[in-house]
Amino acid sequence: MTSTPGWAGPTAGTTPPPSELAPRISRFTTAERWVHRTTAWLVLLCVATAACLYVPQLAELVGRRHLVVTVHEWSGLLIPVPLLAGLVSRALRADLSRLNRFGPHDRRWLVSALRRDRTPGSRPAGKFNAGQKIYAAWIAGAVLVMLGTGLLMWFTGLTPLVWRTGATFVHDWLALAIGIVLAGHMAKALADPEARRGMRTGSVERPWARSEHPLWRVPEE
């Protein structure tokens, strides 16, 4: 086949040879990614149906309120199921243990984050940074409160009216807080393509791991 001058220029300039590709390391197992993905879809379904129930314009657009209520209730009840099922994974249990530990380096990370300090070494972090640990703890507690208040609202005949009124108040305002926090979580994920790729594929580039999580004991090659 005859080629024309310069036909390989753009391809050669955009595709690095294999020797220049950054080495990748394992960050999340298949079980961990499955738990995260399934939980995320259930939470988004719960938030979407809640919006359809509380925003008049969406309620009119979607209609079928009884169906929306049913989907909202069951998606909320199912949120803890992926995590409970994933506890059979040793890797998931190990990461939950990491998320539950808060050390001096995490406090230093928080101080640097509040000061918007991005100088090298200012934000020491293990496999998970302090922000991720706080988010995980907060969302876990919020889900438990939402489950409890949701059940009080669902089984109306089992509790006094004052309990149901209080449960409705907490449920509604906490739902709004969860929506805001989730939006922040998604914005952070969109701002860090490598972190997002790690959750999607299970592996990340070694230079990224050393830069963002310098205290993480990354497996050696």
Side-chain angles (χ1 to χ4, degrees):
M1 183 176 67
T2 303
S3 61
T4 57
W7 71 275
T11 303
T14 57
T15 305
S19 59
E20 294 182 15
L21 295 176
R24 303 190 67 80
I25 57 173
S26 176
R27 181 164 172 83
F28 296 114
T29 64
T30 301
E32 291 177 293
R33 301 199 309 275
W34 177 85
V35 168
H36 182 270
R37 189 172 296 123
T38 308
T39 303
W41 279 113
L42 286 170
V43 170
L44 289 175
L45 182 60
C46 206
V47 170
T49 50
C52 292
L53 292 172
Y54 286 96
V55 179
Q57 292 82 358
L58 290 177
E60 293 177 3
L61 179 65
V62 175
R64 308 192 66 176
R65 182 177 178 84
H66 179 72
L67 176 61
V68 174
V69 170
T70 301
V71 172
H72 179 76
E73 292 171 341
W74 283 103
S75 60
L77 284 175
L78 290 174
I79 286 175
V81 173
L83 177 62
L84 294 175
L87 289 177
V88 299
S89 166
R90 182 180 299 177
L92 178 60
R93 295 198 303 271
D95 277 353
L96 289 176
S97 178
R98 293 186 182 98
L99 284 168
N100 198 38
R101 294 197 191 102
F102 207 88
H105 63 278
D106 293 308
R107 287 187 285 272
R108 182 180 171 189
W109 189 98
L110 280 176
V111 171
S112 298
L114 291 173
R115 293 176 177 174
R116 300 184 182 275
D117 184 359
R118 294 294 302 182
T119 57
S122 63
R123 299 190 183 186
K127 187 173 183 179
F128 302 103
N129 62 44
Q132 292 167 329
K133 292 178 180 181
I134 292 175
Y135 170 79
W138 189 89
I139 201 70
V143 166
L144 290 177
V145 173
M146 292 295 283
L147 277 173
T149 54
L151 288 172
L152 289 176
M153 295 163 61
W154 192 355
F155 298 102
T156 57
L158 299 180
T159 56
L161 176 60
V162 64
W163 287 25
R164 299 197 302 273
T165 303
T168 302
F169 178 84
V170 172
H171 196 88
D172 291 352
W173 283 102
L174 185 55
L176 178 61
I178 289 175
I180 294 172
V181 171
L182 284 177
H185 177 67
M186 295 170 68
K188 294 292 290 183
L190 290 173
D192 193 340
E194 190 59 28
R196 197 167 65 251
R197 190 177 299 115
M199 184 54 72
R200 188 177 69 251
T201 67
S203 65
V204 294
E205 293 182 353
R206 186 175 291 272
W208 177 89
R210 288 174 175 166
S211 172
E212 299 295 325
H213 301 269
L215 302 182
W216 177 25
R217 295 183 179 178
V218 179
E220 295 298 332
E221 296 176 323

